[in-house]
């Protein structure tokens, strides 16, 4: 497709150090440049999904498909997906599987830090208990995914036995 919005998106993604970029972040950058005055975020997503230069992932579960993770961890991906939002990837960029896994590991680590900080800052009041429980549940899944991704990158840690 040869339109200014798609072309500018491709340009931005080619220049960014990250492999995955949140759709909403791209939309906001283009809006600041005056390109999005007549297009909604939903329309922008559809535009990128129909342009072969881009891949749009719904969230972590779509980016981490395959046999990489145990099935119990994949159940937690649905819990985390709403935090990740859609991501955009420029298909013409060259990157290794290790680079993708490292970026996802960094993202999970940052997300876990935000969840933990938020959990600590919530007041200990009865009306915030459900929110704290939800944050703790998301942090548990995020931590599990982070450890499994790290194990995938480095291999499971070998435990030394006395035998």
């Amino acid at each position: 497709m040869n339109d200014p919005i798609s072309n500018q998106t491709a340009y931005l993604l080619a220049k960014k150090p990250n492999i995955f970029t949140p759709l909403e972040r791209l939309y906001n950058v283009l809006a600041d440049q005056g390109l999005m005055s007549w297009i909604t975020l939903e329309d922008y997503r559809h535009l990128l999904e129909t342009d072969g230069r881009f891949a749009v992932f719904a969230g972590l579960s779509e980016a981490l498909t395959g046999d990489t993770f145990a099935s119990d961890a994949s159940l937690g991906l649905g819990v985390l997906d709403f935090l990740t939002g859609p991501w955009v990837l420029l298909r013409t960029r060259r990157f290794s599987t290790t680079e993708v896994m490292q970026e996802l590991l960094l993202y999970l680590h940052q997300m876990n830090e935000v969840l933990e900080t938020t959990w600590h800052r919530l007041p200990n009041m009865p009306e915030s208990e459900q929110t704290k429980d939800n944050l703790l549940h998301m942090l548990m899944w995020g931590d599990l995914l982070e450890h499994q991704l790290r194990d995938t990158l480095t291999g499971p840690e070998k435990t030394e036995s006395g035998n």
Side-chain angles (χ1 to χ4, degrees):
M1 216 173 255
N2 195 8
D3 66 88
I5 293 171
S6 297
N7 289 340
Q8 184 64 8
T9 301
Y11 173 79
L12 291 171
L13 290 174
K15 300 296 180 196
K16 289 189 70 60
N18 302 76
I19 297 169
F20 298 101
T21 304
L23 176 74
E24 189 171 356
R25 186 176 303 155
L26 285 168
Y27 181 86
N28 290 334
V29 168
L30 294 173
D32 289 344
Q33 294 176 358
L35 291 172
M36 305 307 256
S37 59
W38 298 101
I39 189 169
T40 66
L41 182 60
E42 183 179 309
D43 291 337
Y44 178 55
R45 179 178 180 162
H46 179 71
L47 176 70
L48 296 183
E49 288 173 335
T50 58
D51 188 321
R53 294 179 289 177
F54 308 102
V56 179
F57 297 95
L60 284 176
S61 61
E62 198 171 338
L64 296 173
T65 56
D67 297 328
T68 307
F69 297 102
S71 60
D72 62 334
S74 65
L75 295 174
L77 290 170
V79 174
L80 297 174
D81 268 352
F82 80 95
L83 292 174
T84 63
W87 288 344
V88 181
L89 167 85
L90 184 63
R91 292 179 191 264
T92 57
R93 279 189 64 183
R94 299 290 174 225
F95 45 84
S96 68
T97 303
T98 301
E99 289 172 313
V100 171
M101 299 293 259
Q102 287 172 334
E103 185 166 320
L104 291 173
L105 179 63
L106 175 65
Y107 181 79
L108 279 169
H109 180 75
Q110 291 170 345
M111 184 180 67
N112 286 339
E113 285 181 344
V114 168
L115 288 170
E116 186 173 357
T117 300
T118 304
W119 184 83
H120 284 295
R121 290 186 177 172
L122 282 174
N124 287 322
M125 299 170 55
E127 56 271 8
S128 64
E129 284 306 309
Q130 182 64 39
T131 302
K132 287 186 90 162
D133 287 347
N134 290 341
L135 285 171
L136 195 57
H137 187 74
M138 288 184 284
L139 183 58
M140 176 195 71
W141 282 114
D143 192 48
L144 175 65
L145 291 170
E146 183 181 339
H147 287 291
Q148 288 189 336
L149 187 55
R150 192 176 308 280
D151 286 349
T152 300
L153 280 170
T154 62
E157 294 180 356
K158 307 249 188 270
T159 57
E160 294 184 30
S161 61
N163 296 343

